[in-house]
Amino acid sequence: MYGWELPPYNNGGLGTACLGLTKSLTSLGIDVIFVLPKILPLNSSHMKIVYADIDRLKIHEIDALLHPYIDSNQYSGLRDTYSGGVYGNNLLDEVRRYAILGGVVAKNEVFDVIHAHDWLSFGAGLEARRISGKPLILHVHATSFDISAGQTPDERIYKIEKDAFEQADQIIAVSGFTKDMIVNRYGISPEKISVVHNGVEIEEFSGNTTASRFALLKEQGYKIVLFVGRITMQKGPDYFLQAAAKVLKYNQKVYFIIAGSGDMENQIIRQSASLGISDKVLFAGFSRGQDLLDLYRLADLYVMPSVSEPFGITPLEAVASGTPVLISKQSGVSEVLSHALKADFWDIDDIADKILSVVANDALGRTLKKHASSELIGINWNKAAEKCNELYKKLLGWFKKK
Amino acid sequence: MPSVCLYLKTHQPYRVKRYRVFDVGEDNNYFNDNSETNLNNLKVLNKIIGKSYLPTNALLLELLNKHPEFKVSFSLSGVLLEQLESASPETIESFKRLVGTGRVEVLGENYYHSLSFFHSLPEFEEQVKMHRDKIKKLFGVTPAVFTNTEMSYTNSLALWAEQNGYKGITAEGWDGILGWRSPNFLYDAKDCKKIKVLLKNYKLSDDIAFRFGEKSWKEWPLTVPKYAQWVNAINGNGETVNLFMDYETFGEHQWEETGIFEFLRHLPEELLKNPDNNFITPTEATLKYKTVGEFDVPHILTWADTERDLSAWTGNDMQTSALETIYSFENKVRKSGDVKLLDDWRKLQTSDHFYYMCTKWSADGDVHAYFNPYKSPYDAFVSYMNVITDMRLRLERVEDRKNKSKK
């Protein structure tokens, strides 16, 4: 299995998804060799990962300057820091280098199926197939169209994706939303694509909250509306802010918290000032662990206004923490979570209306919370792993016939 | 000997349009959606008139003319009649022609198809009176058998109906209450002296209303002779077979393509082939048959879902909170003296609004989704509560005006 990151050193949902899926796969009795770029400058040999069956997992780290959500400019910066090394001159060179190094693993390992997550590892997956002749599955968590949020994607990345999709034996999409994207934007036959929805590890969010943060605000009758995610165009933080401004016109007793970091951060901070709501919008920075759990629990509503969201695990984390959610219709998670408020990301009025309704009517939040919690039990990684396993078996059957 | 009592419940609500918080204080027309969605009341009504009411009324008139023994009964909610009067006088006329045959009974109910009996007795009584007046004015008859919203029934309702002069009252013939006893007889209501309870034979009723067009049903296709056999089989162990169902069954819930109209067209003659069978109206049943036992319902019984209770209307916090809020306005609305406010408040009591907020999506999920014009129960709640906020604002304004004029 080729990935890019695993918690706790993850920047986003991909690492969470890889960990969740891998845990459940090993518990099904499948041995997993996980190959990923070594994350610099962290010494990742100290990684502590709890797996269902640790003996079934082997981690290979490749010395490469790659991390998820990286773009060409960020790579140049990293490259300058590590100027003495053997790293590629630009991001795409480095991806190519990783592909070759990653592919080499295939020479020394015994395995049946190659499973590669997202474009950075597609090259390595193809290389591994070339070397081993084993079937290749590409698992798509996000395409370049999602990252660019409707703008024209990076042509070079698009080409890497398209070539890989065409060559792959099977493709896994994290949602029907993403499957449609692969069919419509990359011209891939729908028969080649299976949908495997992500899951969530409920137990991680069921602990007790430690902090009495914001307790005073809540005592004073304030409500808290939360955004968690990278502050990038894809996640729609600007729509969140505009909805917040609209809400505050009708109800001043609401605070909005933005937890995350990203290339739009400064723009969003400025925008909240120019909208005249900076006293009601709090920036929590990138949060994880207990901090994130506390945020989820304290919030009266979690909002995910993503412009293009292949899946979106965070709303499920919010539900697992006992918080009702409002999610973008342009998301994969809305296919599996029916007990949620839903709005088009661009429909500021609808988002604001729904936030105001939750704020004004406790019964709405209570009902959402109750039903979503029971719905969540059916959205788990075991189900996802079982679907992957079915696919592995199907592919191996085909390959034997050949 | 079974007397077949075919009673059709006819109702359409005034659905609340998509009403946002920004509309509060700006717009007090809550029911005038004009989109292409099913929130557009006129659009929905016209569709049902065309697919169900007019063709079925024509067919029933034809059957009444052809078979002097044929009888049928209706209940028509006040909010439906109001919509028909403004949108389709032709449909009102066709109902009048049916009633004019003298073999079509109209049942009594509450005007707004509300749950008012369970929230405010004075309000409920006014709504019943409004309905009685409407029926008298349009059809020249006075109902003698009572039926409540969604067949809801409880001991105290039967007592109320008896005290208000009704000869009979309808209820679901539910096994949970009946036990081994049959729904095909009349029963006494607990604590009552005279009123008789007519119980819906839910199996034979739902065979038509729910299962008729369902190809996965083992009895599909349901032919007239097969159905008549099932009715005939009651001979000797039942006196009335009460077939109670939504009128929209014909042509709307069961589309014309299922053969539902042909089924209805041939049902009377097939049933009448057996000289022991006949047709009867609810009032005639109360006069003709004696009761065989006591029907005791201390809680609330309805004809809905597998639970046969009110949980489709009051099962979650949104529903109970919406109901509590609307009824909490009662005194202020009455005191306001504002006729439009009173009418809006009553239209917001129609049970359908709360049904749209239902979150029971298990066994009955399909039924709920089919009848929900909103994308989700949460959307239904958001619009409804925004409307409630607007209504609260209107009430405050009325009070402000009164206070000022006092000074």
Side-chain angles (χ1 to χ4, degrees):
Chain A
M1 185 170 284
Y2 290 90
W4 326 340
E5 61 168 10
L6 285 174
Y9 301 120
N10 63 317
N11 287 301
L14 183 78
T16 312
C18 285
L19 180 62
L21 183 64
T22 311
K23 269 190 186 177
S24 289
L25 280 172
T26 55
S27 75
L28 285 178
I30 296 167
D31 295 316
V32 179
I33 305 158
F34 203 98
V35 187
L36 76 170
K38 187 170 181 176
I39 297 152
L40 294 167
L42 297 162
N43 183 351
S44 40
S45 64
H46 292 294
M47 260 211 247
K48 267 193 192 161
I49 312 169
V50 182
Y51 286 90
D53 187 348
I54 191 79
D55 295 339
R56 294 199 174 275
L57 182 81
K58 200 166 174 183
I59 294 175
H60 269 283
E61 291 164 357
I62 307 288
D63 188 5
L65 290 179
L66 295 179
H67 67 76
Y69 319 112
I70 194 168
D71 64 26
S72 296
N73 290 335
Q74 288 165 351
Y75 180 78
S76 304
L78 256 186
R79 180 73 187 83
D80 292 345
T81 318
Y82 296 91
S83 52
V86 290
Y87 309 115
N89 284 324
N90 59 48
L91 176 62
L92 293 168
D93 278 352
E94 185 66 358
V95 170
R96 243 168 263 140
R97 205 178 64 83
Y98 172 62
I100 292 163
L101 292 176
V104 170
V105 176
K107 271 190 193 151
N108 309 318
E109 294 285 353
V110 181
F111 58 92
D112 299 305
V113 178
I114 309 157
H115 189 144
H117 298 273
D118 275 6
W119 77 274
L120 282 178
S121 62
F122 286 175
L126 285 168
E127 185 63 14
R129 189 177 70 163
R130 194 184 62 77
I131 290 168
S132 67
K134 303 286 185 185
L136 170 65
I137 296 173
L138 300 181
H139 199 136
V140 184
H141 300 261
T143 67
S144 46
F145 283 95
D146 299 306
I147 310 290
S148 63
Q151 314 279 321
T152 318
D154 188 317
E155 227 172 84
R156 294 162 303 175
I157 299 176
Y158 173 78
K159 196 171 173 312
I160 292 176
E161 290 174 324
K162 188 167 160 55
D163 286 349
F165 291 157
E166 283 166 358
Q167 293 181 56
D169 297 296
Q170 273 287 300
I171 297 169
I172 292 174
V174 291
S175 60
F177 176 83
T178 297
K179 178 175 178 170
D180 289 348
M181 186 90 88
I182 299 169
V183 171
N184 297 328
R185 303 279 196 162
Y186 297 84
I188 304 297
S189 155
E191 283 97 60
K192 197 171 165 178
I193 311 167
S194 315
V195 173
V196 177
H197 289 111
N198 288 337
V200 64
E201 297 188 81
I202 299 174
E203 314 78 50
E204 283 190 17
F205 299 89
S206 51
N208 282 323
T209 177
T210 53
S212 54
R213 303 176 211 188
F214 305 110
L216 192 64
L217 285 183
K218 295 210 122 182
E219 272 167 31
Q220 291 171 348
Y222 282 93
K223 301 281 182 175
I224 292 169
V225 178
L226 178 66
F227 172 102
V228 174
R230 280 175 290 115
I231 306 183
T232 59
M233 211 182 333
Q234 185 198 350
K235 301 291 175 179
D238 44 336
Y239 295 100
F240 182 75
L241 217 53
Q242 289 177 55
K246 203 134 205 174
V247 166
L248 289 166
K249 271 189 203 156
Y250 289 83
N251 193 333
Q252 283 286 314
K253 297 278 258 187
V254 189
Y255 274 92
F256 293 85
I257 298 179
I258 295 179
S261 55
D263 56 17
M264 273 173 84
E265 197 168 345
N266 291 335
Q267 181 199 326
I268 292 295
I269 293 173
R270 278 198 305 275
Q271 200 180 340
S272 77
S274 67
L275 285 166
I277 56 170
S278 42
D279 61 325
K280 289 289 172 58
V281 181
L282 310 175
F283 290 85
F286 183 81
S287 309
R288 65 163 81 245
Q290 191 64 46
D291 286 346
L292 183 59
L293 186 60
D294 287 346
L295 284 173
Y296 279 140
R297 299 194 149 224
L298 288 162
D300 295 284
L301 180 68
Y302 175 77
V303 181
M304 185 188 77
S306 297
V307 171
S308 181
E309 188 65 72
F311 190 79
I313 291 182
T314 52
L316 300 182
E317 295 178 346
V319 169
S321 315
T323 300
V325 298
L326 164 55
I327 56 181
S328 158
K329 287 181 190 170
Q330 288 70 31
S331 72
V333 68
S334 75
E335 296 165 19
V336 292
L337 191 64
S338 44
H339 291 285
L341 297 170
K342 296 178 186 181
D344 290 307
F345 70 87
W346 44 261
D347 196 343
I348 307 293
D349 280 357
D350 196 27
I351 295 172
D353 186 31
K354 284 171 173 153
I355 293 174
L356 281 164
S357 197
V358 171
V359 167
N361 304 295
D362 290 344
L364 179 53
R366 276 202 307 275
T367 311
L368 279 164
K369 180 178 157 176
K370 182 178 162 212
H371 292 292
S373 302
S374 26
E375 199 174 16
L376 200 62
I377 296 165
I379 308 172
N380 57 61
W381 285 115
N382 287 342
K383 212 184 231 176
E386 275 161 24
K387 279 192 190 166
C388 287
N389 194 24
E390 287 305 306
L391 201 61
Y392 296 162
K393 286 183 194 159
K394 194 171 91 179
L395 272 182
L396 287 175
W398 288 350
F399 267 63
K400 271 180 199 150
K401 276 180 206 155
K402 282 183 191 172
Chain B
M1 185 169 51
S3 299
V4 175
C5 179
L6 178 62
Y7 149 50
L8 306 164
K9 223 172 182 19
T10 318
H11 161 67
Q12 287 299 318
Y14 282 100
R15 296 161 195 84
V16 172
K17 69 182 174 187
R18 187 179 187 188
Y19 189 93
R20 286 173 163 166
V21 71
F22 318 110
D23 300 320
V24 172
E26 305 286 328
D27 177 5
N28 56 34
N29 293 308
Y30 308 142
F31 314 105
N32 63 344
D33 179 285
N34 55 9
S35 70
E36 284 305 304
T37 70
N38 284 339
L39 291 175
N40 182 332
N41 292 309
L42 189 59
K43 192 199 98 167
V44 174
L45 186 69
N46 280 328
K47 190 181 103 187
I48 295 173
I49 288 171
K51 284 173 75 175
S52 176
Y53 297 163
L54 282 180
T56 319
N57 278 1
L59 176 56
L60 288 173
L61 190 64
E62 184 189 314
L63 291 170
L64 286 158
N65 289 335
K66 192 172 165 194
H67 307 285
E69 308 90 333
F70 182 60
K71 283 161 191 166
V72 61
S73 304
F74 284 95
S75 68
L76 299 139
S77 77
V79 280
L80 169 73
L81 290 170
E82 220 177 87
Q83 292 185 77
L84 288 177
E85 281 180 290
S86 77
S88 176
E90 181 195 1
T91 309
I92 295 278
E93 287 309 309
S94 74
F95 277 113
K96 281 185 183 169
R97 275 195 295 277
L98 289 177
V99 178
T101 63
R103 284 179 283 134
V104 174
E105 181 175 337
V106 182
L107 276 66
E109 62 179 322
N110 72 72
Y111 191 99
Y112 291 91
H113 200 267
S114 71
L115 302 172
S116 53
F117 180 77
F118 309 104
H119 293 269
S120 163
L121 187 61
E123 174 61 18
F124 169 75
E125 290 188 325
E126 273 195 50
Q127 291 185 14
V128 174
K129 184 180 179 304
M130 285 176 74
H131 183 257
R132 194 165 46 227
D133 292 349
K134 187 89 179 174
I135 297 297
K136 180 81 188 167
K137 186 175 145 249
L138 283 176
F139 303 108
V141 297
T142 301
V145 169
F146 193 75
T147 186
N148 203 26
T149 308
E150 304 291 348
M151 209 63 77
S152 54
Y153 180 97
T154 185
N155 289 341
S156 57
L157 179 70
L159 186 60
W160 175 89
E162 175 169 280
Q163 286 166 351
N164 285 272
Y166 292 96
K167 295 186 176 77
I169 182 166
T170 65
E172 176 80 353
W174 186 230
D175 310 349
I177 307 291
L178 284 172
W180 56 269
R181 299 177 299 174
S182 158
N184 305 319
F185 292 95
L186 295 185
Y187 287 84
D188 291 315
K190 168 95 172 161
D191 302 329
C192 294
K193 293 186 184 72
K194 292 181 300 193
I195 197 165
K196 294 175 180 174
V197 189
L198 289 95
L199 297 177
K200 172 186 159 191
N201 182 317
Y202 70 84
K203 194 199 157 288
L204 286 173
S205 300
D206 296 348
D207 285 341
I208 299 175
F210 295 155
R211 292 182 280 272
F212 184 81
E214 204 179 292
K215 292 188 179 168
S216 59
W217 181 34
K218 69 179 188 332
E219 300 294 350
W220 187 88
L222 181 56
T223 61
V224 172
K226 188 194 286 182
Y227 191 80
Q229 251 179 23
W230 295 345
V231 174
N232 291 339
I234 292 166
N235 254 314
N237 48 38
E239 291 171 335
T240 66
V241 181
N242 296 319
L243 305 178
F244 298 170
M245 62 196 78
D246 283 334
Y247 194 23
E248 294 82 4
T249 298
F250 300 95
E252 164 63 18
H253 302 168
Q254 304 293 342
W255 295 349
E256 186 179 358
E257 297 78 56
T258 62
I260 192 74
F261 288 119
E262 284 312 295
F263 179 85
L264 180 61
R265 186 184 308 278
H266 299 290
L267 187 63
E269 62 178 282
E270 187 69 27
L271 287 172
L272 292 168
K273 274 183 191 166
N274 184 332
D276 291 333
N277 294 339
N278 57 62
F279 285 92
I280 201 167
T281 70
T283 300
E284 288 171 350
T286 63
L287 298 173
K288 187 169 177 184
Y289 296 114
K290 289 198 173 78
T291 55
V292 297
E294 185 184 77
F295 195 64
D296 177 10
V297 185
H299 56 275
I300 299 168
L301 178 72
T302 74
W303 71 357
D305 296 350
T306 41
E307 296 93 342
R308 299 297 201 280
D309 60 11
L310 272 184
S311 58
W313 294 271
T314 62
N316 68 38
D317 282 1
M318 297 192 293
Q319 295 169 310
T320 49
S321 139
L323 274 161
E324 269 167 30
T325 315
I326 191 76
Y327 283 102
S328 73
F329 290 170
E330 180 170 355
N331 285 336
K332 283 187 179 171
V333 171
R334 284 181 195 284
K335 276 188 214 149
S336 76
D338 183 328
V339 181
K340 167 101 168 40
L341 196 54
L342 181 64
D343 182 51
D344 285 343
W345 176 66
R346 286 181 164 155
K347 282 177 179 156
L348 289 169
Q349 291 178 39
T350 299
S351 65
D352 305 63
H353 303 308
F354 312 103
Y355 189 82
Y356 301 146
M357 300 172 197
C358 177
T359 46
K360 291 194 297 173
W361 287 338
S362 47
D364 303 303
D366 295 348
V367 183
H368 288 263
Y370 182 83
F371 288 110
N372 200 341
Y374 297 91
K375 293 216 173 67
S376 85
Y378 303 106
D379 286 6
F381 179 77
V382 170
S383 282
Y384 187 87
M385 292 313 278
N386 284 337
V387 161
I388 290 282
T389 307
D390 184 68
M391 177 151 281
R392 188 181 283 126
L393 196 68
R394 285 164 71 188
L395 286 168
E396 282 167 11
R397 283 181 186 162
V398 170
E399 264 178 40
D400 285 351
R401 272 202 301 275
K402 279 189 182 166
N403 289 340
K404 272 180 199 152
S405 63
K406 269 181 204 161
K407 285 169 195 166

